[in-house]
Amino acid sequence: MAGNTFGTLFKLTTFGESHGTAIGGIIDGCPAGITLDLDMIQEEMNRRKPGQSAIVTQRKEPDTVAFYSGIFEGKTTGVPIGFAIHNTNQKSRDYSHIKETYRPSHADYVYDQKYGHRDYRGGGRSSARETASRVVAGAIAKQFLSDIKINAFVSSVGEISLDKPYQELDFNLTESNPVRCPDPDKAAEMEAKIREIRKEGDTIGGTITCVLQNVPVGLGEPVFDKLHAELGKAMLSINAVKGFEYGSGFEGAKMKGSQHNDIFNADGSTKTNLSGGIQGGISNGMDIYFSVAFKPVATIMQSQETINKDGEIVEMTGKGRHDPCVVPRAVPIVEAMAALVLADYYLLNKTIKK
Amino acid sequence: MAGNTFGTLFKLTTFGESHGTAIGGIIDGCPAGITLDLDMIQEEMNRRKPGQSAIVTQRKEPDTVAFYSGIFEGKTTGVPIGFAIHNTNQKSRDYSHIKETYRPSHADYVYDQKYGHRDYRGGGRSSARETASRVVAGAIAKQFLSDIKINAFVSSVGEISLDKPYQELDFNLTESNPVRCPDPDKAAEMEAKIREIRKEGDTIGGTITCVLQNVPVGLGEPVFDKLHAELGKAMLSINAVKGFEYGSGFEGAKMKGSQHNDIFNADGSTKTNLSGGIQGGISNGMDIYFSVAFKPVATIMQSQETINKDGEIVEMTGKGRHDPCVVPRAVPIVEAMAALVLADYYLLNKTIKK
Amino acid sequence: MAGNTFGTLFKLTTFGESHGTAIGGIIDGCPAGITLDLDMIQEEMNRRKPGQSAIVTQRKEPDTVAFYSGIFEGKTTGVPIGFAIHNTNQKSRDYSHIKETYRPSHADYVYDQKYGHRDYRGGGRSSARETASRVVAGAIAKQFLSDIKINAFVSSVGEISLDKPYQELDFNLTESNPVRCPDPDKAAEMEAKIREIRKEGDTIGGTITCVLQNVPVGLGEPVFDKLHAELGKAMLSINAVKGFEYGSGFEGAKMKGSQHNDIFNADGSTKTNLSGGIQGGISNGMDIYFSVAFKPVATIMQSQETINKDGEIVEMTGKGRHDPCVVPRAVPIVEAMAALVLADYYLLNKTIKK
Amino acid sequence: MAGNTFGTLFKLTTFGESHGTAIGGIIDGCPAGITLDLDMIQEEMNRRKPGQSAIVTQRKEPDTVAFYSGIFEGKTTGVPIGFAIHNTNQKSRDYSHIKETYRPSHADYVYDQKYGHRDYRGGGRSSARETASRVVAGAIAKQFLSDIKINAFVSSVGEISLDKPYQELDFNLTESNPVRCPDPDKAAEMEAKIREIRKEGDTIGGTITCVLQNVPVGLGEPVFDKLHAELGKAMLSINAVKGFEYGSGFEGAKMKGSQHNDIFNADGSTKTNLSGGIQGGISNGMDIYFSVAFKPVATIMQSQETINKDGEIVEMTGKGRHDPCVVPRAVPIVEAMAALVLADYYLLNKTIKK
């Protein structure tokens, strides 16, 4: 209810603030009998962690996961998987600049208004550090759904965007560059742009596209819990996300029905896929694809005017080591959230027929 | 779980198929003591109902709501509000064309795959007729939240789109034309376009923008249940929706942090509002605004190739009276879903502080 | 959340007040493809309905169910089953005696305190009339779980109680007498007792025992959602219930471990069954049995002192036609709630293994 | 869904197996701004921990809680409280006697049947060690509800039971003896009984009674989520519990309405309290009291026949250090679960009126 749980049957609850002792979570409802590759989980964590390349934040957080329960002799047991990621980087810092002052386009002000009391260190609960727990759970969901292929990649940075349909991309190239764009030429352009922006002490937005392949027909519930509605919520719950579209998306709103309809092949597949693999909220066996818009990171290394708790106007300049562009590190988070949605709906779909 | 309930504290569960005896729902958790204006509820229904103007479907459904419980002496009592809308238009028709044949870009195929058995008449549960129940509940949520202003309007039809920011529009004009666009010139263009498309036996997509004003600071839960994540899910759960963006949306992904950050005024309001009234998932007191993309209606009055249950290729032409463009009638649905989200989060926010 | 929904996967939400237009509900999550015997549902309703024998209330309520959705061509479709039971007996009565006055050991006072406004007619939402909706849903759950045998019966009325273990009873005799006690001699004693009590204008309590046979091994979730915990909640949610025990129950608290332990047979069954068919919250394949205590009905035909809204002491005598003993009519309700629990846990158990 | 979460607004999710690295949990929805006394939490843990007296298990587990999040500068912040209790006692033991063999009246057999794979060490997830996490959360709930008095005590051990109504007891004496019975004479008898039973290598059951005082009027939701139904579920979810009754309980089933009805005083309180402080599922401001039956611990130090995984009959004798009677250590668990129910319903009740 208070918003720290995702999913209903395959269910993740997370805890933890940016600069607290530890962050972590509990995965409840993960089926029994899944052999887990713990190294793969750590690799997913490494894709998200700070300091992994020259174009992301240079903070050092090893983000090592400790599992406390739910796994025995290498396999899930069906009971909750508790885990924690201890913060190793908890030096006592000077937070006076954010204790009393609200950073523009951050959650400081609304947290104070809503709760009356907040852990201001590093953004506390509103920090994207929380997403590390999602990556842990997503990695387990991926192993549960080993037949489904989940590939996210950066599709734009600022005005630079991929101009090919995803079918022409080689997803094996996504990890070949620090931007996580599977088109090497575009990746180079994007990387140069991010370096330039960082020099300016500024930040820039971008988009991530995600493709889900080999999803069985029938996932998704009609009416309120349509598959794309839950995918949309999952993505919109990631820090800095401003929009979500699937299939034809906003372009589809400009089209005619005679152009947009996907004509069937005899086997139930469709000749085109403007629907994006989902009809009436239910997967139809075609590729599911969607895009997610991320705003530029709000912490910039430039001087900005803002207010403090007393409503006084003050000057503020970003401190610390922040990402000039969030999308490269957000790719595994998008994949993790997609995996969580699919795992949940996969289990739910087991209960539909007698 | 099976997807027919929306909300957690202010909670709507719906039932009913397009051509069944009745559709309806139960609103659980509506607070006690709200004086209800039942005429206003019917007016909202009339904004959604078929046959209201020349540019929408000419089906006749009076959509009269019968309330069964939860209202006593004109006021809510805090117990569930049960209601039904009886179908008056249940003549025995010939459904043979959709009984065995899957309409392109409809849910017929996936329902059969998922459930193995479906009410094929008029699309059954996948029909947008279900949204009438949402409008009933939304109208009650609006009355509960009488201080909040909820205004949706058509912002584009096909390639024709509003070019003014919403602040320059007069929402009083929205209902002055059948398109529900508050810019009379654009409305005339859009109406002409829809008439043209209908003559072609085709359909066309569009977008709806919604503005929520006077929302108190503090609504929304951090992490998974961010206010915009739930608004996004609510909108994506409406039939034919392909995308959702709020605040700067997909445009924001092209911007720099120095352009995008909203600088505070001394009173906590902001000079700009690219954030769209929500920071870190929590309302900040500024206007909340978002856009929703609708694909063109899949039923067209042109011949299309499709398949039947046996996987044979067959020809099919749309029958019946369908909307050439869904957005004019979807305006009250968008408002209703927004009202349901706000009502739920408003109640939840009462439990945050001791 | 507001308490009018039971279950998570097989989920019933009810609405309706005693003297409103209709009561009813929505069953969401009932699997697709179940052939429903609607006559059997009505028969279950008839076991609960008033006026069925000389020892229950003589009110006349036909309690005919109208199904609105979710059933097509005689089978469930997997979408919500909406239903209503219209009140035919809504003559305009004089309720002045309960409008301003709080009946002792009724919910009138607490409803007023909690909600500030209540439908006082016939007890409104607090009336046991609501349980008719449970019987509808339970009858569908029984048909879904056709392999499981669910038998409840009256095991005591006042001080008169069955002295045989359930294994010595013939459940076919339960419906052979108006008390619903499968031991004809005891049934006769109980019936005489109820007639005597009614003549005194008084009421009397009793207990119901329920036996669930052929339940598959493995139903129930560890920790908070143990099978017997949910059965207990289900029973305690029935009007007038004061206690629940399963297996050895309160007697078990007096025993030693060496007496209480159930020793295994080679096939996993046990020689004794003090556990009551559940170990660690999970069904073990043995018979599940439990008992439910019902207090005497609070409405008596004797003069009692009570208070009105203004806190003044007033005299009050019960009016209307009430049950002198509630247990005969509560037998189908106990069975219905047990069926709902089993249906929910049966579906949930499908998601436990990969 | 998978049963490891309790509550809806004030919500506890737990993880951990008896002999894993750690057990713990996440409390989500605890309101912001509560000043927490961490020493009091540890004191509650000490009331539950093994080795605290001569009549409980002599295992040594310090049960020290580490809090990871949600508390800042001594106060709750409204975000999740993550915590863990590390197992310090994890010596590598010989579990061969329970790895392949099913202990009578334990959950070993059903876990294997349900999950196909289990952590057999010390009972794994089915061990009552999990309840330590409940005591942590309950201690926080108690501090949130500081105006409400929650007093549980042992009311019987085997055949020895308290014969006074709770009003004649001094709850300050509960902690004065290792049995946790506030009647010193009865406590001495019970203690002697437990010592005798332990010498026999046997175990014995008992009951706990709990009294909730100063509960505000209006807690509890009508119909399925009646306050006593949730209290019942909470208690039945505790290991070894076989029954629950509140107010007049099973005795009430023998009474007449004219004896059982609680007559009002002018101020809304009642002259008697057979209702047990709850009417129609809603607290009425009178004391709430209930009793909980615990079976004898299944692990006895006597030889028993049982089966192994292959269905072979084998001899088995309990090993390790177990409780001869569970009720003394279960007193704080009963209180904790009661506190969790009240905290949840207290928050929920804030949303009932406009």
Side-chain angles (χ1 to χ4, degrees):
Chain A
M1 200 62 20
N4 297 287
T5 295
F6 189 81
T8 49
L9 287 171
F10 193 105
K11 190 163 68 167
L12 170 67
T13 304
T14 72
F15 68 83
E17 289 84 53
S18 177
H19 289 58
T21 321
I23 63 170
I26 301 175
I27 302 160
D28 197 14
C30 182
I34 303 169
T35 301
L36 284 188
D37 177 348
L38 300 183
D39 292 341
M40 177 273 195
I41 299 172
Q42 193 58 49
E43 280 160 29
E44 291 287 275
M45 296 296 285
N46 294 347
R47 295 174 74 204
R48 198 213 71 97
K49 81 173 177 190
Q52 62 182 270
S53 78
I55 59 165
V56 306
T57 170
Q58 297 303 303
R59 286 196 310 276
K60 293 292 175 203
E61 292 162 359
D63 281 356
T64 308
V65 195
F67 287 103
Y68 290 152
S69 65
I71 305 170
F72 187 61
E73 297 175 344
K75 288 194 292 185
T76 58
T77 59
V79 304
I81 301 172
F83 64 90
I85 301 157
H86 285 266
N87 287 334
T88 56
N89 198 9
Q90 270 187 297
K91 53 181 172 182
S92 156
R93 272 176 256 187
D94 178 13
Y95 293 103
S96 53
H97 68 299
I98 55 170
K99 182 174 179 180
E100 304 286 334
T101 307
Y102 300 129
R103 293 169 296 169
S105 287
H106 271 277
D108 307 337
Y109 171 75
V110 291
Y111 265 66
D112 251 17
Q113 293 287 315
K114 184 178 181 80
Y115 298 109
H117 174 58
R118 80 189 148 96
D119 179 349
Y120 47 77
R121 300 169 304 165
R125 184 68 178 155
S126 72
S127 162
R129 181 148 177 67
E130 181 271 341
T131 57
S133 298
R134 306 186 187 200
V135 173
V136 173
I140 291 175
K142 281 183 178 181
Q143 296 191 40
F144 166 43
L145 301 170
S146 51
D147 291 341
I148 297 178
K149 289 187 240 169
I150 300 176
N151 283 291
F153 53 88
V154 170
S155 45
S156 75
V157 168
E159 301 277 357
I160 306 162
S161 67
L162 268 179
D163 41 21
K164 292 175 191 161
Y166 76 83
Q167 292 86 344
E168 295 174 24
L169 299 171
D170 178 358
F171 296 149
N172 292 315
L173 298 179
T174 302
E175 292 296 317
S176 69
N177 59 73
V179 180
R180 292 200 167 88
C181 172
D183 178 324
D185 295 341
K186 286 288 180 183
E189 272 187 72
M190 289 169 178
E191 186 175 347
K193 184 67 184 178
I194 295 173
R195 288 176 183 273
E196 176 195 321
I197 284 288
R198 190 179 50 187
K199 272 188 204 141
E200 295 171 10
D202 213 335
T203 60
I204 194 157
T207 59
I208 290 175
T209 295
C210 185
V211 183
L212 312 176
Q213 293 170 304
N214 218 18
V215 176
V217 183
L219 303 197
E221 298 307 310
V223 186
F224 298 113
D225 292 348
K226 293 182 165 83
L227 181 55
H228 57 266
E230 192 69 8
L231 283 169
K233 179 172 179 181
M235 299 307 143
L236 288 157
S237 80
I238 301 173
N239 305 49
V241 171
K242 302 300 289 184
F244 169 87
E245 58 179 2
Y246 81 105
S248 61
F250 277 87
E251 276 305 304
K254 299 178 185 164
M255 295 171 76
K256 295 183 189 180
S258 55
Q259 302 170 295
H260 195 278
N261 284 353
D262 294 317
I263 302 303
F264 281 107
N265 295 311
D267 64 356
S269 67
T270 56
K271 295 180 200 299
T272 51
N273 184 18
L274 289 155
S275 299
I278 301 173
Q279 290 293 13
I282 298 168
S283 62
N284 68 356
M286 300 294 292
D287 290 355
I288 295 172
Y289 60 97
F290 57 83
S291 290
V292 187
F294 290 78
K295 71 170 186 175
V297 172
T299 303
I300 57 176
M301 299 298 122
Q302 300 178 355
S303 176
Q304 294 177 99
E305 204 177 273
T306 193
I307 59 167
N308 64 19
K309 278 195 172 183
D310 302 320
E312 295 162 336
I313 305 287
V314 293
E315 275 302 299
M316 157 172 256
T317 305
K319 285 190 188 178
R321 292 154 295 174
H322 294 273
D323 287 282
C325 181
V326 81
V327 284
R329 286 178 58 211
V331 165
I333 305 167
V334 165
E335 290 182 3
M337 292 308 297
L340 289 176
V341 171
L342 292 177
D344 202 31
Y345 278 65
Y346 180 91
L347 290 177
L348 191 49
N349 201 41
K350 287 183 151 196
T351 69
I352 293 304
K353 284 188 201 159
K354 190 174 176 185
Chain B
M1 197 67 19
N4 298 287
T5 295
F6 189 82
T8 48
L9 288 171
F10 193 105
K11 192 163 67 168
L12 170 67
T13 304
T14 70
F15 68 82
E17 288 84 55
S18 177
H19 289 57
T21 322
I23 63 169
I26 301 175
I27 302 160
D28 196 14
C30 182
I34 303 168
T35 301
L36 285 187
D37 176 348
L38 300 183
D39 292 340
M40 177 274 194
I41 298 172
Q42 193 59 50
E43 281 159 30
E44 291 288 274
M45 295 297 286
N46 294 346
R47 295 173 73 205
R48 197 211 72 96
K49 79 173 177 190
Q52 63 182 270
S53 78
I55 60 166
V56 305
T57 170
Q58 296 305 304
R59 286 195 309 275
K60 293 292 174 203
E61 293 162 0
D63 282 355
T64 308
V65 195
F67 288 103
Y68 290 152
S69 64
I71 305 170
F72 186 62
E73 296 175 346
K75 287 193 294 182
T76 59
T77 59
V79 305
I81 301 170
F83 64 90
I85 302 156
H86 285 265
N87 286 333
T88 54
N89 199 9
Q90 272 187 294
K91 52 182 168 180
S92 155
R93 272 175 256 186
D94 178 13
Y95 292 102
S96 53
H97 67 301
I98 55 170
K99 181 173 180 181
E100 304 286 334
T101 307
Y102 300 129
R103 294 168 294 168
S105 288
H106 271 279
D108 306 336
Y109 172 76
V110 291
Y111 265 67
D112 251 17
Q113 293 287 315
K114 184 179 181 82
Y115 299 108
H117 174 60
R118 79 190 148 94
D119 179 349
Y120 47 77
R121 300 168 304 164
R125 184 67 178 155
S126 72
S127 161
R129 179 145 178 71
E130 181 272 340
T131 57
S133 298
R134 305 185 188 201
V135 173
V136 173
I140 291 175
K142 280 183 179 180
Q143 295 192 40
F144 167 43
L145 300 171
S146 51
D147 291 341
I148 296 177
K149 288 185 239 170
I150 300 176
N151 282 291
F153 53 89
V154 170
S155 45
S156 76
V157 168
E159 301 275 358
I160 306 163
S161 67
L162 268 179
D163 41 21
K164 292 176 191 160
Y166 75 82
Q167 292 87 345
E168 294 174 23
L169 299 171
D170 178 358
F171 296 149
N172 292 315
L173 299 178
T174 301
E175 294 295 318
S176 70
N177 59 75
V179 181
R180 292 200 168 88
C181 172
D183 178 326
D185 295 340
K186 287 287 180 184
E189 274 186 70
M190 291 170 177
E191 186 175 346
K193 182 71 185 174
I194 295 172
R195 288 177 182 272
E196 176 196 321
I197 284 288
R198 191 181 47 188
K199 272 187 206 142
E200 296 171 10
D202 213 335
T203 60
I204 194 157
T207 59
I208 291 175
T209 295
C210 185
V211 184
L212 312 176
Q213 292 171 306
N214 219 18
V215 176
V217 183
L219 302 197
E221 298 307 309
V223 186
F224 298 112
D225 293 348
K226 293 182 166 84
L227 181 54
H228 58 266
E230 192 69 8
L231 284 168
K233 179 172 178 180
M235 299 306 144
L236 288 156
S237 79
I238 300 172
N239 305 49
V241 171
K242 302 300 288 185
F244 170 85
E245 59 179 1
Y246 81 104
S248 61
F250 278 87
E251 276 306 303
K254 299 178 185 164
M255 294 171 76
K256 294 183 188 180
S258 56
Q259 300 169 298
H260 194 278
N261 283 353
D262 294 318
I263 303 303
F264 282 107
N265 295 311
D267 64 356
S269 67
T270 56
K271 295 179 199 299
T272 51
N273 184 18
L274 289 155
S275 299
I278 300 173
Q279 291 293 12
I282 299 168
S283 62
N284 68 357
M286 301 294 292
D287 290 356
I288 294 171
Y289 60 98
F290 57 83
S291 290
V292 188
F294 290 78
K295 70 169 188 176
V297 172
T299 303
I300 58 177
M301 299 297 122
Q302 301 178 355
S303 176
Q304 294 177 99
E305 204 178 273
T306 192
I307 59 169
N308 65 19
K309 277 197 172 182
D310 302 321
E312 297 162 337
I313 305 286
V314 294
E315 276 301 300
M316 159 172 253
T317 305
K319 285 190 188 178
R321 291 153 295 173
H322 294 273
D323 287 281
C325 181
V326 82
V327 285
R329 287 178 57 212
V331 165
I333 305 167
V334 164
E335 290 181 2
M337 292 308 296
L340 289 176
V341 171
L342 291 177
D344 202 30
Y345 278 66
Y346 180 91
L347 290 178
L348 191 48
N349 201 41
K350 287 182 151 197
T351 69
I352 293 305
K353 285 188 202 160
K354 189 174 178 184
Chain C
M1 197 68 19
N4 298 287
T5 296
F6 189 81
T8 49
L9 288 170
F10 194 105
K11 192 162 69 166
L12 170 67
T13 304
T14 70
F15 69 83
E17 287 84 56
S18 176
H19 288 58
T21 322
I23 63 168
I26 301 176
I27 302 160
D28 197 13
C30 181
I34 302 168
T35 301
L36 285 187
D37 177 348
L38 300 182
D39 291 342
M40 176 272 195
I41 299 173
Q42 193 58 51
E43 281 160 28
E44 290 288 274
M45 295 297 286
N46 294 347
R47 294 173 74 206
R48 197 212 72 96
K49 79 173 179 190
Q52 62 182 269
S53 77
I55 60 165
V56 305
T57 169
Q58 297 305 302
R59 285 195 309 276
K60 292 291 174 205
E61 293 161 359
D63 281 355
T64 308
V65 195
F67 288 103
Y68 290 152
S69 65
I71 306 169
F72 186 61
E73 297 174 346
K75 287 194 293 185
T76 58
T77 59
V79 305
I81 301 171
F83 64 90
I85 302 155
H86 285 265
N87 287 334
T88 54
N89 199 9
Q90 269 185 298
K91 54 182 169 182
S92 157
R93 272 175 255 188
D94 178 14
Y95 293 103
S96 52
H97 68 300
I98 56 171
K99 181 176 179 180
E100 306 286 334
T101 307
Y102 300 130
R103 293 168 295 167
S105 288
H106 271 278
D108 306 336
Y109 172 74
V110 291
Y111 265 66
D112 251 17
Q113 293 287 316
K114 185 179 181 79
Y115 299 108
H117 174 58
R118 79 188 150 95
D119 179 349
Y120 47 76
R121 299 169 303 164
R125 183 68 179 155
S126 72
S127 161
R129 179 144 178 71
E130 182 273 340
T131 58
S133 298
R134 305 185 187 203
V135 173
V136 173
I140 292 175
K142 280 183 177 179
Q143 295 192 40
F144 167 43
L145 301 171
S146 51
D147 291 342
I148 297 178
K149 289 186 237 168
I150 300 177
N151 282 291
F153 53 88
V154 169
S155 44
S156 76
V157 167
E159 302 275 358
I160 307 162
S161 65
L162 269 179
D163 41 21
K164 292 176 191 161
Y166 75 84
Q167 293 87 343
E168 295 175 23
L169 299 171
D170 178 358
F171 297 149
N172 292 315
L173 299 178
T174 302
E175 293 296 317
S176 70
N177 59 74
V179 181
R180 295 203 165 85
C181 172
D183 178 324
D185 294 342
K186 287 287 180 183
E189 273 187 70
M190 291 170 178
E191 185 176 345
K193 182 68 184 176
I194 295 172
R195 288 176 181 274
E196 174 195 324
I197 284 289
R198 191 180 48 186
K199 271 187 206 142
E200 297 171 10
D202 213 335
T203 60
I204 194 157
T207 58
I208 291 175
T209 296
C210 185
V211 184
L212 312 176
Q213 292 170 306
N214 219 19
V215 176
V217 183
L219 301 198
E221 299 307 309
V223 185
F224 299 112
D225 291 348
K226 292 180 165 82
L227 181 55
H228 57 264
E230 192 69 9
L231 283 169
K233 180 172 178 180
M235 299 307 144
L236 288 157
S237 79
I238 300 172
N239 304 47
V241 172
K242 302 301 287 185
F244 170 86
E245 59 179 2
Y246 81 104
S248 62
F250 278 88
E251 276 306 303
K254 299 179 185 162
M255 295 171 74
K256 295 182 187 181
S258 55
Q259 302 170 296
H260 195 278
N261 284 353
D262 293 317
I263 303 303
F264 282 107
N265 295 310
D267 64 357
S269 67
T270 58
K271 294 178 199 301
T272 51
N273 183 18
L274 289 155
S275 299
I278 300 174
Q279 289 293 13
I282 298 168
S283 62
N284 69 356
M286 300 294 292
D287 291 354
I288 295 172
Y289 60 97
F290 57 85
S291 290
V292 188
F294 290 78
K295 69 170 189 177
V297 172
T299 302
I300 58 177
M301 300 298 122
Q302 300 179 354
S303 176
Q304 294 176 99
E305 202 177 274
T306 192
I307 59 169
N308 64 19
K309 276 195 174 184
D310 302 320
E312 297 162 337
I313 305 287
V314 294
E315 276 301 301
M316 159 172 253
T317 305
K319 284 192 187 175
R321 292 152 295 174
H322 295 272
D323 288 281
C325 181
V326 82
V327 285
R329 286 178 58 212
V331 165
I333 305 168
V334 165
E335 290 182 2
M337 291 309 295
L340 289 176
V341 171
L342 292 176
D344 203 30
Y345 278 65
Y346 181 91
L347 289 179
L348 191 48
N349 201 41
K350 288 182 150 198
T351 70
I352 293 305
K353 284 187 199 162
K354 188 175 178 182
Chain D
M1 200 63 19
N4 297 286
T5 295
F6 189 81
T8 49
L9 288 170
F10 193 106
K11 190 162 69 166
L12 171 67
T13 305
T14 71
F15 68 83
E17 287 86 54
S18 177
H19 289 57
T21 321
I23 63 170
I26 301 176
I27 303 159
D28 197 13
C30 181
I34 302 168
T35 301
L36 284 187
D37 177 348
L38 300 183
D39 292 341
M40 176 273 194
I41 299 173
Q42 192 58 50
E43 281 159 29
E44 291 288 275
M45 295 298 285
N46 294 346
R47 295 173 74 205
R48 196 212 72 96
K49 78 173 180 190
Q52 63 183 268
S53 78
I55 60 165
V56 305
T57 170
Q58 296 305 299
R59 284 196 310 276
K60 291 292 175 203
E61 292 163 358
D63 282 356
T64 308
V65 195
F67 287 103
Y68 290 153
S69 66
I71 305 169
F72 187 62
E73 297 175 343
K75 288 194 293 186
T76 58
T77 59
V79 305
I81 300 172
F83 64 90
I85 302 156
H86 286 266
N87 287 334
T88 54
N89 200 9
Q90 270 186 295
K91 54 180 170 184
S92 156
R93 270 174 258 188
D94 178 13
Y95 291 103
S96 52
H97 68 298
I98 56 171
K99 182 175 178 178
E100 305 286 334
T101 306
Y102 299 129
R103 294 168 294 168
S105 287
H106 271 277
D108 307 336
Y109 171 75
V110 291
Y111 265 66
D112 252 17
Q113 293 288 316
K114 184 179 181 78
Y115 298 109
H117 174 60
R118 78 189 150 96
D119 179 350
Y120 46 76
R121 299 168 305 164
R125 183 69 178 153
S126 71
S127 160
R129 179 144 178 69
E130 182 272 341
T131 57
S133 298
R134 306 186 186 201
V135 172
V136 173
I140 291 175
K142 281 183 178 179
Q143 296 192 39
F144 166 45
L145 301 171
S146 51
D147 291 342
I148 297 177
K149 289 187 239 168
I150 300 176
N151 283 291
F153 53 88
V154 169
S155 45
S156 76
V157 168
E159 302 275 359
I160 306 162
S161 66
L162 269 178
D163 41 20
K164 292 175 191 162
Y166 75 84
Q167 293 86 343
E168 295 174 24
L169 300 171
D170 178 358
F171 296 149
N172 292 314
L173 299 178
T174 301
E175 294 295 317
S176 71
N177 60 73
V179 181
R180 293 203 166 85
C181 172
D183 178 325
D185 296 340
K186 286 287 180 182
E189 272 187 72
M190 290 170 178
E191 186 175 347
K193 183 69 185 176
I194 296 173
R195 288 176 181 273
E196 176 196 321
I197 284 287
R198 189 180 50 187
K199 272 188 204 141
E200 296 171 10
D202 213 334
T203 60
I204 194 157
T207 59
I208 291 175
T209 296
C210 184
V211 184
L212 312 176
Q213 292 170 305
N214 219 18
V215 176
V217 182
L219 303 198
E221 299 306 310
V223 185
F224 298 112
D225 292 348
K226 292 181 166 83
L227 181 55
H228 58 266
E230 191 69 9
L231 283 168
K233 179 172 179 181
M235 299 307 144
L236 288 157
S237 79
I238 300 173
N239 305 50
V241 171
K242 302 301 288 183
F244 169 88
E245 60 179 0
Y246 81 105
S248 62
F250 278 87
E251 275 306 303
K254 299 179 186 163
M255 294 171 75
K256 295 183 187 180
S258 55
Q259 301 169 297
H260 195 278
N261 284 353
D262 294 316
I263 302 304
F264 282 107
N265 295 310
D267 64 357
S269 66
T270 58
K271 294 180 199 300
T272 50
N273 184 18
L274 289 155
S275 299
I278 301 174
Q279 289 294 12
I282 297 168
S283 61
N284 68 357
M286 301 295 291
D287 290 355
I288 294 172
Y289 60 97
F290 56 85
S291 290
V292 187
F294 290 78
K295 71 170 187 174
V297 171
T299 303
I300 58 177
M301 300 297 122
Q302 300 178 356
S303 177
Q304 293 176 100
E305 203 177 272
T306 192
I307 58 168
N308 64 19
K309 277 195 172 186
D310 303 320
E312 297 163 337
I313 304 288
V314 294
E315 276 301 300
M316 158 174 253
T317 305
K319 284 191 188 178
R321 292 153 295 174
H322 294 273
D323 287 281
C325 181
V326 82
V327 284
R329 287 178 58 213
V331 166
I333 305 168
V334 165
E335 290 183 3
M337 291 309 295
L340 289 177
V341 171
L342 292 177
D344 202 31
Y345 278 65
Y346 181 91
L347 290 178
L348 191 48
N349 201 41
K350 287 182 151 196
T351 70
I352 293 305
K353 284 188 201 161
K354 188 174 178 184

